[in-house]
Amino acid sequence: MADSATAGTRGRGGFGRGRGGRGGRGRGRRGEEKNEWVPVTKLGRLVKANKIKSIEEIYLFSLPIKEYQIIDYFLPKLKDEVMKIMPVQKQTTAGQRTRFKAFVVIGDENGHVGLGVKCSKEVATAIRGAIILAKLAIIPVRRGYWGTNLGEPHTVPCKVTGRCGSVLTRLIPAPRGTGLVASMAAKRVLQLAGIEDCYTASSGSTRTLGNTVKALFAAIGNTYAFLTPDLWEETEFSKGPYQEFTDFLSQKARK
């Protein structure tokens, strides 16, 4: 009886344990598959084959990034910050449908920053999606000096403005050692962008945090939109990656 009872217990209780064991092995396999990136775009194939050496080459030719693994490849030390999670509702015939909207900022604190906004039924899914969108939207940050150009660039190169909705945000260069004179949310975004000293001025409904962060992101993006005299040198045109490595791309496609 004891043997039969033990066998019965193994049959019922052991089902969960056995399933867990298989699940554990399965999770391991999935993890391995997840770590191995199989690119599906031409840019991804060039990056994985080490034909493109840095993310600056992608920015130089304004190539659209469609795979977030490209960003992980070039910028492995990215930090992310969830700026806000807000519930949004839609009126349906069955009542109200509530979803969650996540605002996530990522950056390496060294001249690269991205903003992602994602809406989903669950908070965790919204944050995950926002991180991926932030990686795809990552931009270079141009930094400069206030006064003499000694040491590393520490502030914005000139006064820049960004706008979203009624919120207007202005970034103003500051002397070295000033720090970030900004709100808590704006300060975190500027830290992730790698800006050490900066004054900020904003107007409009700044308590709408989503629009405030978007306006700040637009202002940071405008640092490279302003053509300063040190960028007046004659441009030397070269072949784009797709044109330069066309033979490599065609060979891969045939295989």
Side-chain angles (χ1 to χ4, degrees):
M1 289 294 288
D3 293 338
S4 62
T6 309
T9 308
R10 277 184 192 149
R12 286 194 300 274
F15 180 73
R17 288 198 296 273
R19 193 177 180 184
R22 286 200 300 276
R25 290 198 298 276
R27 278 197 295 276
R29 288 194 206 101
R30 279 200 297 272
E32 288 166 17
E33 288 171 13
K34 200 180 288 184
N35 289 336
E36 188 178 355
W37 168 41
V38 180
V40 294
T41 60
K42 288 194 288 187
L43 181 61
R45 282 156 57 194
L46 290 175
V47 168
K48 191 169 184 185
N50 207 24
K51 300 289 184 183
I52 295 178
K53 306 294 183 185
S54 69
I55 196 169
E56 275 65 36
E57 290 183 39
I58 299 175
Y59 292 140
L60 179 64
F61 294 98
S62 302
L63 302 176
I65 300 173
K66 301 293 185 185
E67 295 176 273
Y68 71 91
Q69 292 92 341
I70 295 173
I71 303 299
D72 291 335
Y73 183 87
F74 286 124
L75 306 173
K77 295 182 180 178
L78 283 175
K79 299 178 183 177
D80 57 84
E81 181 85 13
V82 179
M83 303 305 294
K84 187 177 184 181
I85 296 171
M86 56 184 287
V88 292
Q89 291 182 327
K90 176 184 178 181
Q91 189 68 41
T92 63
T93 53
Q96 292 176 336
R97 188 191 69 182
T98 303
R99 295 200 298 172
F100 297 97
K101 192 175 186 181
F103 293 84
V104 175
V105 176
I106 64 167
D108 61 352
E109 298 183 353
N110 191 27
H112 299 95
V113 69
L115 172 66
V117 184
K118 180 68 176 176
C119 197
S120 182
K121 291 179 183 177
E122 296 179 6
V123 174
T125 313
I127 292 173
R128 253 195 324 269
I131 289 173
I132 290 174
L133 290 176
K135 287 178 180 178
L136 295 177
I138 205 161
I139 58 171
V141 182
R142 188 173 176 211
R143 293 167 291 176
Y145 300 91
W146 185 93
T148 173
N149 56 353
L150 295 175
E152 295 294 322
H154 62 99
T155 185
V156 287
C158 57
K159 294 178 183 178
V160 285
T161 306
R163 184 167 197 141
C164 181
S166 68
V167 180
L168 186 140
T169 301
R170 196 175 197 207
L171 303 180
I172 303 163
R176 196 183 295 275
T178 303
L180 297 172
V181 184
S183 65
M184 291 302 295
K187 190 177 287 187
R188 188 61 186 135
V189 176
L190 292 170
Q191 283 174 349
L192 289 170
I195 296 171
E196 298 170 13
D197 310 292
C198 187
Y199 295 121
T200 61
S202 57
S203 63
S205 184
T206 52
R207 67 178 180 180
T208 311
L209 188 63
N211 284 358
T212 303
V213 173
K214 285 182 179 178
L216 186 62
F217 185 67
I220 292 172
N222 285 337
T223 55
Y224 265 109
F226 191 80
L227 191 66
T228 50
D230 57 330
L231 298 177
W232 288 357
E233 297 176 6
E234 190 173 347
T235 307
E236 295 181 8
F237 294 101
S238 58
K239 289 182 178 180
Y242 295 158
Q243 190 178 2
E244 186 178 353
F245 302 109
T246 183
D247 295 335
F248 170 80
L249 292 171
S250 60
Q251 285 174 7
K252 285 285 183 182
R254 271 194 228 110
K255 286 182 182 177

